[in-house]
Amino acid sequence: MRLPPLNALRAFEAAARHNGYIAAAEELCVTRGAVSRHIKLLEEHLGVALFHRNHRGVDLTAAGRQLLPVLTEAFARIGREAEQISAMTQDIRIICPPALSIRWLFPRLENFQAAHPGIRVRMTTEFYGAKGFDGTEYDLGVSVEHVHGRPAGITSMPLFPMVLSPACSPALLRQQSLRTPSDLARMVLLHESPQRRDWAHWLASFGIRGIDAASGPTFPNLDMAARAAAMGSGVVMADLALCQEELRNGALVLPFPEMTCVTPQGGYVLIGMRDRWDEPHLRAFREWVAQDCADLMPDLGV
């Protein structure tokens, strides 16, 4: 048997719950006659009577009593699932590596929430695992542009470039007479990851030789390495966007401000699944973050 008409089922469930057509009509915002017609249609579809009509109103038949709890539970379940789905569409699950989260995204989220109070951002601050961005766990992610083997179903939007230049505390600069890149051979180089790629890339970009790019301590992320540099522990390869606070307040200075380079990994990008990219709440976040990054560009000299 094909399914009965949905409006007829709603009319019956409401009438049975209220023990009458008038209250059901008020709940459904239709006329009493419309409720009566829907129930008659349902009875014809099922081939059984669902109500006994009497001078006080209606009473359920045995068939009506059998059908009512099924419909009540079904409509309640539909309502619960619809509420959960609606709530999910207003959540944005974002994964962002630690230094990017702490130094860029997290401090700005308050501005997004003020502009979009109905959208809740749930941010995970950690590195991507071996399988990379997982669209079943996250709606959006912040990553570097060039990642080997990124699935075709993922799309991206440029945020801002990764611009590198050495940085140290003003006291260290004065004490160590750091005037030319060759003076770095006497300095402690601080690395933002165990891979130690930051210094090697910068030195190669300017053809600087005689400096051990692999020397010096490593840190779990740029945030810790930059803090160590601000304390005078050595020279860090600063990401100019992520080290803005220290560069503005003078905790870090650039010994060679004209010697900047971008990385082989490219700049930072926002990523997400192509088939969900234009969902309204994700589009709202993309438009907000694009404007924020546009405002950041002049500080990077790009």
Side-chain angles (χ1 to χ4, degrees):
M1 177 182 289
R2 61 185 177 87
L3 289 175
L6 177 60
N7 285 340
L9 292 172
R10 291 185 64 208
F12 164 75
E13 193 275 338
R17 188 162 28 84
H18 289 292
N19 294 314
Y21 292 180
I22 296 177
E26 292 176 353
E27 177 182 312
L28 300 176
C29 299
V30 297
T31 65
R32 181 188 182 283
V35 172
S36 179
R37 288 191 297 273
H38 280 310
I39 292 174
K40 182 177 181 182
L41 177 64
L42 180 59
E43 289 177 327
E44 291 175 351
H45 181 95
L46 297 175
V48 295
L50 298 172
F51 288 110
H52 294 302
R53 281 75 175 176
N54 55 55
H55 65 280
R56 298 189 310 274
V58 293
D59 293 320
L60 286 169
T61 64
R65 289 193 297 273
Q66 180 179 347
L67 181 59
L68 175 60
V70 175
L71 291 181
T72 300
E73 172 57 27
F75 288 139
R77 183 174 180 181
I78 291 170
R80 290 193 299 269
E81 293 299 323
E83 287 180 1
Q84 290 182 12
I85 292 172
S86 178
M88 287 174 58
T89 61
Q90 297 306 306
D91 280 4
I92 301 178
R93 303 165 300 167
I94 300 177
I95 180 172
C96 186
L100 273 165
S101 297
I102 296 167
R103 292 177 163 263
W104 171 67
L105 183 54
F106 189 74
R108 290 165 163 79
L109 282 181
E110 184 177 352
N111 295 333
F112 175 77
Q113 299 287 197
H116 301 277
I119 302 176
R120 181 177 63 172
V121 175
R122 297 162 53 194
M123 190 169 72
T124 298
T125 301
E126 62 183 39
F127 293 105
Y128 294 89
K131 64 179 180 180
F133 178 77
D134 185 346
T136 64
E137 293 187 12
Y138 303 104
D139 304 306
L140 297 172
V142 181
S143 178
V144 292
E145 182 179 5
H146 303 306
V147 173
H148 178 71
R150 182 171 282 161
I154 295 177
T155 190
S156 65
M157 180 187 80
L159 295 175
F160 51 90
M162 190 190 306
V163 183
L164 302 181
S165 190
C168 64
S169 70
L172 187 67
L173 182 63
R174 292 190 300 269
Q175 294 167 5
Q176 299 297 328
S177 300
L178 187 56
R179 296 187 178 92
T180 68
S182 61
D183 293 330
L184 289 167
R186 298 183 284 100
M187 309 298 292
V188 175
L189 306 185
L190 308 178
H191 300 268
E192 53 85 27
S193 74
Q195 286 74 32
R196 301 174 183 264
R197 298 169 183 159
D198 45 3
W199 276 101
H201 174 68
W202 185 84
L203 293 168
S205 295
F206 294 99
I208 301 170
R209 301 180 182 277
I211 297 172
D212 184 1
S215 67
T218 65
F219 295 84
N221 55 64
L222 176 63
D223 183 63
M224 296 182 66
R227 292 179 188 278
M231 294 168 57
S233 300
V235 185
V236 68
M237 185 55 60
D239 181 320
L240 299 193
L242 302 188
C243 293
Q244 274 196 342
E245 182 177 353
E246 289 93 344
L247 293 171
R248 283 175 176 166
N249 64 26
L252 289 177
V253 294
L254 303 178
F256 319 111
E258 303 303 320
M259 300 179 69
T260 63
C261 69
V262 295
T263 71
Q265 301 144 295
Y268 297 109
V269 294
L270 187 71
I271 60 176
M273 303 306 297
R274 183 173 286 106
D275 58 358
R276 299 192 54 213
W277 194 241
D278 287 318
E279 291 182 7
H281 62 310
L282 302 186
R283 184 170 64 249
F285 185 86
R286 288 196 290 110
E287 292 173 352
W288 168 79
V289 80
Q291 182 57 57
D292 184 87
C293 291
D295 295 339
L296 177 64
M297 292 301 184
D299 295 323
L300 302 181
V302 296

